[in-house]
Amino acid sequence: MTQPPSAVPDLVSRTRYNREKAARKEAEQLLEARSRELYEANRNLAAALEKEKQLVTLQYALITSINHEFRTPLTVVDGVAARIEKIADGDNRDRILDKCGQIRNSVQTLTALIESALKGFGNRREDVDMPIGVQRLTRQPMSER
């Protein structure tokens, strides 16, 4: 039995409508799944960023503490070497001045090393700008300093 001519367009329209409806539902499901994936990835990234910020804060606190703990004795050592230079006399004066100069240079090198470590923290230490030669420091034996 054939359908009347007026029913054929209705059947085609209904079939097309059902296909579009199914395709729309599938697209919505895919969109929902992708949205969930992106939401979860965003949450994971936010958590990782927060952990990274905490780590940087702890690292900065450590470097700042190391800075203070090293600078205090280095200042004392430098001050003593400067006083020895002022009172040095006698036959060994040149040798004493040379050794005191080496001590003071080593203090400056260590201070610069600390400053360069702090420089890695960017805007927190804008006043630091002391490049140093770490390779020279590590290759030069202590006896030559």
Side-chain angles (χ1 to χ4, degrees), residues 60-71 114:
Y60 182 73
L62 175 65
I63 294 294
T64 301
S65 177
I66 289 171
N67 178 33
H68 174 72
E69 294 300 323
F70 273 101
R71 278 181 183 264
I114 293 166

Side-chain angles (χ1 to χ4, degrees), residues 2-51:
T2 62
Q3 296 181 358
S6 62
V8 173
D10 286 343
L11 183 61
V12 171
S13 295
R14 185 168 290 138
T15 304
R16 184 180 301 158
Y17 171 78
N18 287 337
R19 272 191 306 211
E20 287 177 7
K21 185 177 176 182
R24 190 177 307 118
K25 185 172 184 168
E26 183 181 346
E28 287 173 356
Q29 289 172 344
L30 288 172
L31 181 62
E32 180 68 27
R34 185 66 179 145
S35 293
R36 276 192 300 269
E37 289 174 14
L38 289 173
Y39 174 77
E40 199 58 38
N42 191 30
R43 275 186 43 202
N44 291 339
L45 283 173
L49 177 62
E50 186 59 34
K51 286 181 183 178

Side-chain angles (χ1 to χ4, degrees), residues 83-116:
R83 277 186 245 134
I84 291 172
E85 284 178 335
K86 286 182 183 177
I87 63 170
D89 61 359
D91 296 338
N92 291 329
R93 177 172 168 64
D94 290 339
R95 189 168 192 280
I96 291 171
L97 291 177
D98 184 51
K99 290 298 177 187
C100 286
Q102 290 174 1
I103 291 169
R104 297 189 79 198
N105 283 337
S106 294
V107 166
Q108 288 175 349
T109 301
L110 287 171
T111 302
L113 181 62
I114 293 166
E115 290 293 334
S116 70

